[in-house]
Coordinates of all heavy atoms in Angstrom, one line a residue:
M28 N 0.8 -1.2 0.0 CA 0.0 0.0 0.0 C 0.9 1.2 0.0 O 1.9 1.3 0.7 CB -0.8 0.0 1.3 CG -1.7 1.3 1.4 SD -2.6 1.6 2.9 CE -3.1 0.0 3.4
L29 N 0.6 2.2 -0.8 CA 1.3 3.5 -0.8 C 0.3 4.5 -0.4 O -0.8 4.7 -0.9 CB 1.7 3.8 -2.3 CG 2.4 5.2 -2.6 CD1 3.6 5.2 -1.8 CD2 2.6 5.4 -4.0
V30 N 0.8 5.3 0.7 CA 0.0 6.3 1.2 C 0.9 7.6 1.2 O 2.1 7.5 1.7 CB -0.4 6.1 2.7 CG1 -1.1 7.3 3.2 CG2 -1.2 4.8 2.8
A31 N 0.5 8.6 0.6 CA 1.2 9.9 0.4 C 0.5 11.1 1.0 O -0.1 11.8 0.2 CB 1.7 10.1 -0.9
P32 N 0.3 11.1 2.3 CA -0.5 12.3 2.9 C 0.4 13.6 2.7 O 1.6 13.6 2.7 CB -0.5 12.0 4.3 CG 0.6 11.0 4.7 CD 0.9 10.3 3.4
L33 N -0.4 14.7 2.3 CA 0.2 15.9 2.1 C -0.4 16.9 3.1 O -1.5 17.4 2.9 CB -0.1 16.4 0.6 CG 0.5 17.7 0.2 CD1 2.0 17.7 0.2 CD2 0.0 18.0 -1.3
F34 N 0.5 17.3 4.0 CA 0.0 18.2 5.1 C 1.1 19.4 5.2 O 2.2 19.2 4.9 CB 0.0 17.6 6.5 CG -1.2 16.6 6.7 CD1 -1.0 15.2 6.3 CD2 -2.4 17.1 7.1 CE1 -2.0 14.4 6.5 CE2 -3.4 16.2 7.2 CZ -3.3 14.8 7.0
L35 N 0.6 20.6 5.4 CA 1.4 21.8 5.5 C 2.2 21.8 6.8 O 3.3 22.2 6.9 CB 0.6 23.0 5.3 CG 0.0 23.3 3.9 CD1 -0.8 24.6 4.0 CD2 1.1 23.4 2.9
S36 N 1.5 21.4 7.9 CA 2.2 21.5 9.2 C 1.8 20.3 10.0 O 0.8 19.6 9.8 CB 1.8 22.8 10.0 OG 0.4 22.8 10.1
Q37 N 2.7 20.0 11.0 CA 2.4 18.9 12.0 C 1.3 19.2 12.9 O 1.1 20.4 13.3 CB 3.7 18.6 12.7 CG 4.7 18.0 11.8 CD 6.0 17.7 12.6 OE1 6.2 18.1 13.7 NE2 6.9 16.9 11.9
G38 N 0.6 18.2 13.3 CA -0.5 18.4 14.3 C -1.2 17.1 14.6 O -0.6 16.0 14.4
Y39 N -2.4 17.2 15.0 CA -3.2 16.0 15.4 C -3.3 15.0 14.3 O -3.0 13.8 14.7 CB -4.6 16.5 15.8 CG -5.5 15.4 16.2 CD1 -5.3 14.7 17.4 CD2 -6.5 14.9 15.4 CE1 -6.1 13.6 17.8 CE2 -7.4 14.0 15.8 CZ -7.2 13.3 16.9 OH -8.0 12.3 17.3
F40 N -3.5 15.4 13.1 CA -3.7 14.3 12.0 C -2.4 13.7 11.7 O -2.3 12.4 11.6 CB -4.3 15.0 10.8 CG -5.7 15.1 10.8 CD1 -6.3 16.2 11.4 CD2 -6.5 14.0 10.3 CE1 -7.8 16.3 11.4 CE2 -7.8 14.1 10.3 CZ -8.5 15.2 10.9
T41 N -1.2 14.4 11.7 CA 0.0 13.8 11.3 C 0.5 12.9 12.5 O 1.3 11.9 12.2 CB 1.1 14.9 11.0 OG1 1.3 15.7 12.0 CG2 0.7 15.6 9.7
R42 N 0.3 13.3 13.7 CA 0.8 12.5 14.8 C -0.1 11.4 15.3 O 0.3 10.4 15.8 CB 1.1 13.4 16.0 CG 2.3 14.3 15.8 CD 2.7 15.1 17.0 NE 1.7 16.0 17.5 CZ 1.8 17.2 17.2 NH1 2.7 17.8 16.5 NH2 0.8 18.1 17.7
T43 N -1.5 11.6 15.1 CA -2.4 10.6 15.7 C -3.3 9.9 14.6 O -3.3 8.7 14.6 CB -3.4 11.4 16.6 OG1 -2.5 12.1 17.6 CG2 -4.3 10.4 17.4
V44 N -4.0 10.7 13.8 CA -5.0 10.1 12.9 C -4.3 9.1 11.9 O -4.8 8.1 11.7 CB -5.8 11.2 12.3 CG1 -6.8 10.6 11.2 CG2 -6.7 12.0 13.3
I45 N -3.4 9.7 11.2 CA -2.7 8.8 10.1 C -2.1 7.6 10.7 O -2.4 6.5 10.2 CB -1.7 9.7 9.4 CG1 -2.2 10.9 8.7 CG2 -0.9 8.8 8.4 CD1 -3.3 10.6 7.6
P46 N -1.3 7.7 11.7 CA -0.8 6.4 12.2 C -1.9 5.4 12.8 O -1.8 4.2 12.5 CB 0.0 6.8 13.5 CG 0.5 8.2 13.1 CD -0.7 8.8 12.4
K47 N -3.1 5.9 13.3 CA -4.1 5.0 13.7 C -4.7 4.3 12.5 O -5.1 3.2 12.6 CB -5.2 5.8 14.5 CG -4.9 5.9 16.0 CD -6.1 6.6 16.7 CE -5.7 6.9 18.1 NZ -6.9 7.5 18.8
R48 N -4.9 5.1 11.5 CA -5.6 4.6 10.3 C -4.7 3.5 9.5 O -5.2 2.7 8.8 CB -6.0 5.7 9.3 CG -7.1 6.4 9.9 CD -7.7 7.4 8.9 NE -8.8 8.2 9.5 CZ -9.4 9.2 8.9 NH1 -9.1 9.5 7.7 NH2 -10.3 9.8 9.6
L49 N -3.4 3.6 9.7 CA -2.5 2.7 9.2 C -2.1 1.5 10.0 O -1.4 0.6 9.6 CB -1.1 3.4 8.8 CG -1.3 4.5 7.7 CD1 0.0 5.2 7.5 CD2 -1.8 3.9 6.4
A50 N -2.7 1.5 11.3 CA -2.4 0.5 12.3 C -2.7 -0.9 11.6 O -3.8 -1.0 11.0 CB -3.2 0.7 13.5
G51 N -1.8 -1.9 11.8 CA -2.1 -3.3 11.4 C -1.7 -3.5 10.0 O -1.8 -4.6 9.4
R52 N -1.2 -2.5 9.3 CA -0.7 -2.6 8.0 C 0.8 -2.4 7.9 O 1.4 -1.8 8.8 CB -1.3 -1.5 7.0 CG -2.8 -1.7 6.9 CD -3.4 -0.5 6.0 NE -4.8 -0.7 5.7 CZ -5.9 -0.4 6.5 NH1 -5.6 0.1 7.7 NH2 -7.0 -0.6 6.2
Q53 N 1.5 -2.9 6.9 CA 2.9 -2.7 6.8 C 3.1 -1.4 6.1 O 2.6 -1.2 4.9 CB 3.5 -3.8 6.0 CG 5.0 -3.7 5.9 CD 5.6 -4.9 5.2 OE1 4.9 -5.8 4.7 NE2 6.9 -4.9 5.0
Y54 N 3.8 -0.5 6.7 CA 3.9 0.8 6.1 C 5.1 1.5 6.6 O 5.7 1.2 7.7 CB 2.7 1.7 6.3 CG 2.5 2.2 7.7 CD1 3.0 3.4 8.1 CD2 1.8 1.4 8.6 CE1 2.8 3.8 9.5 CE2 1.7 1.8 9.9 CZ 2.2 3.0 10.4 OH 2.0 3.5 11.6
R55 N 5.6 2.5 6.0 CA 6.6 3.5 6.5 C 6.0 4.9 6.5 O 5.5 5.3 5.4 CB 7.9 3.4 5.6 CG 8.8 2.3 5.9 CD 10.1 2.5 5.2 NE 10.1 1.6 4.1 CZ 11.1 1.5 3.2 NH1 12.1 2.4 3.3 NH2 11.1 0.7 2.2
Y56 N 6.1 5.6 7.5 CA 5.5 6.9 7.7 C 6.4 7.8 8.6 O 6.5 7.3 9.7 CB 4.1 6.9 8.1 CG 3.5 8.2 8.4 CD1 3.2 9.0 7.4 CD2 3.2 8.5 9.7 CE1 2.6 10.3 7.7 CE2 2.5 9.8 10.0 CZ 2.3 10.7 9.0 OH 1.7 11.8 9.3
N57 N 7.0 8.9 8.1 CA 7.8 9.7 9.0 C 7.1 10.8 9.6 O 7.7 11.6 10.4 CB 9.1 10.1 8.2 CG 8.8 11.0 7.1 OD1 7.7 11.4 6.9 ND2 9.8 11.2 6.2
G58 N 5.9 11.2 9.1 CA 5.1 12.3 9.7 C 5.6 13.6 9.2 O 5.2 14.7 9.8
K59 N 6.6 13.7 8.3 CA 7.1 15.0 7.9 C 6.0 15.8 7.1 O 5.1 15.2 6.5 CB 8.3 14.8 7.0 CG 9.5 14.4 7.8 CD 10.7 14.4 6.9 CE 12.0 14.0 7.7 NZ 13.2 14.1 6.9
T60 N 6.1 17.0 7.1 CA 5.2 17.9 6.5 C 5.9 18.9 5.6 O 7.1 18.9 5.6 CB 4.4 18.7 7.5 OG1 5.2 19.4 8.3 CG2 3.5 17.8 8.4
I61 N 5.2 19.6 4.8 CA 5.8 20.5 3.8 C 6.4 21.7 4.6 O 7.6 22.2 4.2 CB 4.7 21.1 2.8 CG1 4.3 20.0 1.9 CG2 5.3 22.2 2.0 CD1 3.2 20.4 1.1
L62 N 5.8 22.3 5.6 CA 6.4 23.4 6.4 C 6.9 22.9 7.7 O 6.3 22.0 8.3 CB 5.2 24.4 6.6 CG 4.6 25.0 5.4 CD1 3.5 26.0 5.6 CD2 5.7 25.7 4.5
P63 N 7.8 23.5 8.3 CA 8.6 24.6 7.8 C 9.7 24.1 6.8 O 10.4 23.0 7.0 CB 9.3 25.2 9.0 CG 9.4 24.1 9.9 CD 8.3 23.2 9.7
H64 N 9.8 24.7 5.7 CA 10.8 24.4 4.7 C 11.2 25.7 3.9 O 10.2 26.3 3.4 CB 10.4 23.3 3.8 CG 11.4 22.7 2.9 ND1 11.9 23.4 1.8 CD2 12.1 21.5 3.1 CE1 12.9 22.6 1.3 NE2 13.0 21.6 2.0
P65 N 12.4 26.0 3.8 CA 12.7 27.3 3.1 C 12.3 27.3 1.7 O 11.9 28.4 1.2 CB 14.2 27.3 3.2 CG 14.7 25.9 3.5 CD 13.6 25.3 4.2
F66 N 12.2 26.1 1.0 CA 11.7 26.2 -0.4 C 10.2 26.6 -0.5 O 9.8 27.1 -1.4 CB 12.0 24.9 -1.1 CG 13.5 24.7 -1.4 CD1 13.9 23.4 -1.5 CD2 14.4 25.7 -1.4 CE1 15.3 23.1 -1.8 CE2 15.7 25.5 -1.6 CZ 16.2 24.2 -1.9
A67 N 9.5 26.1 0.5 CA 8.0 26.4 0.5 C 7.8 27.9 0.6 O 7.0 28.5 0.0 CB 7.4 25.7 1.6
A68 N 8.6 28.6 1.5 CA 8.5 30.0 1.7 C 8.9 30.7 0.3 O 8.2 31.6 0.0 CB 9.4 30.5 2.8
R69 N 9.9 30.2 -0.3 CA 10.3 30.9 -1.6 C 9.2 30.7 -2.6 O 9.0 31.7 -3.4 CB 11.7 30.3 -1.9 CG 12.8 30.6 -1.2 CD 14.1 30.1 -1.7 NE 15.1 30.1 -0.7 CZ 16.1 29.2 -0.6 NH1 16.3 28.3 -1.5 NH2 16.9 29.2 0.4
W70 N 8.7 29.5 -2.7 CA 7.6 29.3 -3.6 C 6.4 30.2 -3.4 O 5.9 30.8 -4.3 CB 7.1 27.8 -3.5 CG 6.0 27.5 -4.5 CD1 6.1 27.3 -5.8 CD2 4.7 27.5 -4.1 NE1 4.8 27.1 -6.3 CE2 3.9 27.2 -5.2 CE3 3.9 27.7 -2.9 CZ2 2.5 27.1 -5.3 CZ3 2.6 27.6 -2.9 CH2 1.9 27.3 -4.1
M71 N 6.0 30.4 -2.1 CA 4.9 31.3 -1.8 C 5.3 32.7 -2.2 O 4.4 33.5 -2.7 CB 4.6 31.2 -0.3 CG 3.9 30.0 0.1 SD 3.3 30.0 1.8 CE 4.4 28.8 2.6
E72 N 6.5 33.1 -2.0 CA 6.9 34.5 -2.3 C 6.8 34.7 -3.8 O 6.3 35.7 -4.3 CB 8.3 34.8 -1.9 CG 8.5 34.9 -0.4 CD 9.9 35.0 0.1 OE1 10.9 34.8 -0.8 OE2 10.1 35.2 1.3
R73 N 7.2 33.7 -4.6 CA 7.1 33.8 -6.1 C 5.7 33.9 -6.5 O 5.3 34.6 -7.5 CB 7.9 32.6 -6.7 CG 9.3 32.8 -6.7 CD 10.2 31.8 -7.6 NE 9.6 30.4 -7.5 CZ 10.2 29.5 -6.7 NH1 11.2 29.8 -6.0 NH2 9.7 28.2 -6.6
Q74 N 4.8 33.1 -5.9 CA 3.4 33.0 -6.3 C 2.8 34.4 -6.0 O 2.0 34.8 -6.9 CB 2.6 32.0 -5.5 CG 3.1 30.5 -5.8 CD 3.0 30.2 -7.3 OE1 2.0 30.3 -7.9 NE2 4.0 29.7 -7.8
V75 N 3.0 34.9 -4.9 CA 2.5 36.3 -4.5 C 3.0 37.3 -5.5 O 2.2 38.2 -5.9 CB 2.8 36.6 -3.0 CG1 2.5 38.1 -2.7 CG2 2.0 35.7 -2.1
A76 N 4.3 37.3 -5.7 CA 4.9 38.3 -6.7 C 4.2 38.2 -8.1 O 3.9 39.2 -8.7 CB 6.4 38.1 -6.8
A77 N 4.1 36.9 -8.5 CA 3.5 36.8 -9.9 C 2.0 37.3 -9.9 O 1.5 37.9 -10.8 CB 3.5 35.3 -10.2
W78 N 1.3 36.9 -8.7 CA -0.1 37.4 -8.6 C -0.2 38.9 -8.6 O -1.0 39.6 -9.4 CB -0.8 36.8 -7.4 CG -2.2 37.3 -7.3 CD1 -3.3 36.6 -7.9 CD2 -2.7 38.4 -6.5 NE1 -4.4 37.3 -7.6 CE2 -4.1 38.3 -6.7 CE3 -2.1 39.3 -5.8 CZ2 -4.9 39.3 -6.2 CZ3 -2.9 40.3 -5.2 CH2 -4.3 40.3 -5.4
L79 N 0.7 39.6 -7.9 CA 0.7 41.0 -7.7 C 1.0 41.6 -9.1 O 0.5 42.6 -9.5 CB 1.7 41.5 -6.7 CG 1.2 41.2 -5.2 CD1 2.3 41.6 -4.3 CD2 -0.1 42.0 -4.9
D80 N 2.0 41.0 -9.8 CA 2.4 41.5 -11.1 C 1.2 41.4 -12.1 O 0.9 42.4 -12.8 CB 3.6 40.7 -11.6 CG 4.1 41.3 -13.0 OD1 4.3 42.5 -13.1 OD2 4.3 40.5 -13.9
G81 N 0.5 40.3 -12.1 CA -0.6 40.1 -12.9 C -1.7 41.1 -12.5 O -2.4 41.7 -13.4
F82 N -1.9 41.3 -11.2 CA -2.9 42.2 -10.7 C -2.7 43.7 -11.2 O -3.5 44.3 -11.7 CB -3.1 42.2 -9.2 CG -4.1 43.1 -8.6 CD1 -5.4 42.8 -8.7 CD2 -3.7 44.2 -8.0 CE1 -6.4 43.6 -8.1 CE2 -4.6 45.1 -7.5 CZ -6.0 44.8 -7.5
T83 N -1.4 44.1 -11.1 CA -1.0 45.4 -11.5 C -1.2 45.7 -13.0 O -1.7 46.6 -13.4 CB 0.4 45.8 -11.2 OG1 0.6 45.5 -9.7 CG2 0.9 47.1 -11.5
N84 N -0.9 44.6 -13.8 CA -1.0 44.8 -15.2 C -2.5 44.8 -15.7 O -2.8 45.5 -16.5 CB -0.3 43.6 -16.0 CG 1.2 43.7 -15.9 OD1 1.7 44.8 -15.7 ND2 1.9 42.7 -15.9
R85 N -3.3 44.0 -15.0 CA -4.7 43.9 -15.3 C -5.4 45.2 -15.0 O -6.3 45.7 -15.7 CB -5.4 42.8 -14.5 CG -5.3 41.4 -15.2 CD -6.4 40.5 -14.6 NE -6.2 40.4 -13.2 CZ -5.5 39.5 -12.6 NH1 -4.8 38.7 -13.3 NH2 -5.4 39.5 -11.3
Q86 N -5.0 46.0 -13.8 CA -5.7 47.1 -13.5 C -5.5 48.2 -14.6 O -6.5 48.9 -14.9 CB -5.1 47.7 -12.2 CG -5.6 47.1 -11.0 CD -5.4 47.8 -9.7 OE1 -4.5 48.6 -9.7 NE2 -6.3 47.6 -8.8
G87 N -4.3 48.2 -15.2 CA -4.1 49.2 -16.3 C -5.0 48.9 -17.5 O -5.6 49.7 -18.2
S88 N -5.3 47.5 -17.8 CA -6.0 47.2 -18.9 C -7.5 47.3 -18.7 O -8.3 47.2 -19.6 CB -5.7 45.8 -19.4 OG -6.0 44.8 -18.4
D89 N -7.9 47.5 -17.5 CA -9.4 47.6 -17.1 C -10.0 48.9 -17.4 O -11.2 49.2 -17.4 CB -9.7 47.2 -15.7 CG -9.4 45.7 -15.4 OD1 -9.4 44.9 -16.4 OD2 -9.4 45.3 -14.3
R90 N -9.1 49.9 -17.6 CA -9.6 51.2 -17.9 C -10.1 51.4 -19.2 O -9.8 50.7 -20.1 CB -8.3 52.2 -17.8 CG -7.8 52.3 -16.4 CD -6.9 53.5 -16.2 NE -6.2 53.4 -15.0 CZ -5.0 53.0 -14.7 NH1 -4.2 52.7 -15.7 NH2 -4.4 53.0 -13.5
L91 N -11.1 52.3 -19.3 CA -11.8 52.5 -20.7 C -10.8 53.3 -21.5 O -9.9 54.0 -21.0 CB -13.0 53.3 -20.4 CG -14.1 52.6 -19.6 CD1 -15.3 53.5 -19.4 CD2 -14.6 51.4 -20.4
E92 N -10.9 53.1 -22.8 CA -10.1 53.8 -23.7 C -10.1 55.3 -23.4 O -11.2 55.9 -23.3 CB -10.5 53.6 -25.1 CG -9.4 54.0 -26.1 CD -9.7 53.5 -27.6 OE1 -10.2 52.4 -27.7 OE2 -9.6 54.3 -28.5
G93 N -9.0 56.0 -23.3 CA -8.9 57.4 -23.1 C -9.1 57.8 -21.6 O -8.8 58.9 -21.2
E94 N -9.4 56.9 -20.8 CA -9.5 57.1 -19.3 C -8.1 57.2 -18.7 O -7.2 56.4 -19.1 CB -10.3 56.0 -18.6 CG -10.6 56.2 -17.2 CD -11.4 55.0 -16.5 OE1 -11.2 53.9 -17.0 OE2 -12.1 55.3 -15.7
Q95 N -7.9 58.1 -17.7 CA -6.6 58.2 -17.2 C -6.6 57.7 -15.7 O -7.7 57.7 -15.1 CB -6.1 59.6 -17.2 CG -5.9 60.2 -18.6 CD -5.3 61.5 -18.6 OE1 -5.0 62.1 -17.6 NE2 -5.2 62.2 -19.8
A96 N -5.5 57.4 -15.3 CA -5.5 56.8 -13.9 C -5.5 57.9 -12.8 O -5.3 59.1 -13.1 CB -4.1 56.1 -13.6

């Protein structure tokens, strides 16, 4: 059986629920989560920057022809 839980942070589910649901089965589970990880923070920064860049560019194109900011 392959189980690949994807959690952002450790907590009740990663420490309790997942191990209980896997009880009685042969598995390996380390309980690691995505955060904290420096690459996750960098990815989020890039996503926000891209969104802001797109938002800024869209605002200019939403103006009516001849309309000034």
Side-chain angles (χ1 to χ4, degrees):
M28 175 189 323
L29 173 64
V30 178
L33 180 61
F34 288 92
L35 291 178
S36 61
Q37 291 182 344
Y39 177 73
F40 276 89
T41 58
R42 288 190 295 262
T43 306
V44 174
I45 300 297
K47 277 186 181 180
R48 291 187 181 176
L49 295 174
R52 295 176 174 86
Q53 185 177 359
Y54 70 94
R55 281 192 255 173
Y56 173 69
N57 64 12
K59 288 188 177 180
T60 58
I61 294 175
L62 300 176
H64 192 283
F66 291 158
R69 291 181 199 154
W70 177 82
M71 286 188 250
E72 289 170 356
R73 288 194 309 268
Q74 296 301 309
V75 169
W78 182 83
L79 289 173
D80 185 47
F82 179 76
T83 303
N84 291 335
R85 272 196 308 269
Q86 278 197 336
S88 65
D89 287 345
R90 293 192 188 104
L91 298 173
E92 193 173 320
E94 185 179 34
Q95 295 185 8

